[in-house]
Amino acid sequence: MQSGMRALCAGGGASLCCLLMLWMIYTHLLKEGQLAVGTCEIVMLNRDSSQPKRTIARQTARCACRRGQIAGTTRARPACVDAHIVKSKQWCEMTPCSEGEICGLLLNRSGWTCTKGGERIKTVTPLPKEPS
């Protein structure tokens, strides 16, 4: 019984050591400035509050998405979403609004609005991707 427990502890220790080494290798390979797959970061955020009751914000995000995904918005933050959502302009399928807000497509499907309690909070119109 005691030898079985020692073997189990030794095996668990070896597994933990292997996991730690794999984590160290992964973090070493993930160089500075490189994003982990499936994540996004905000690169630039500009706000213009020159008009009363209106703020125009422009945000640029950088994403490292998996195959079949593209940069989008989930819960008011940049995120990787299924590419078919963006291509078909079914914006509300990516859950772009914050908790408690209701998403609605603009009439021309060029973007979406987020409303809370019947009052419009924000209107979002994504810019088309620039050709590479």
Side-chain angles (χ1 to χ4, degrees), residues 47-61:
R47 292 182 188 268
D48 178 6
S49 299
S50 61
Q51 298 178 19
K53 295 186 179 183
R54 186 174 179 184
T55 299
I56 299 172
R58 288 186 176 82
Q59 175 178 293
T60 304

Side-chain angles (χ1 to χ4, degrees), residues 9 32 59 66 71 84:
C9 287
E32 187 177 326
Q59 175 178 293
R66 292 178 174 85
H84 82 275

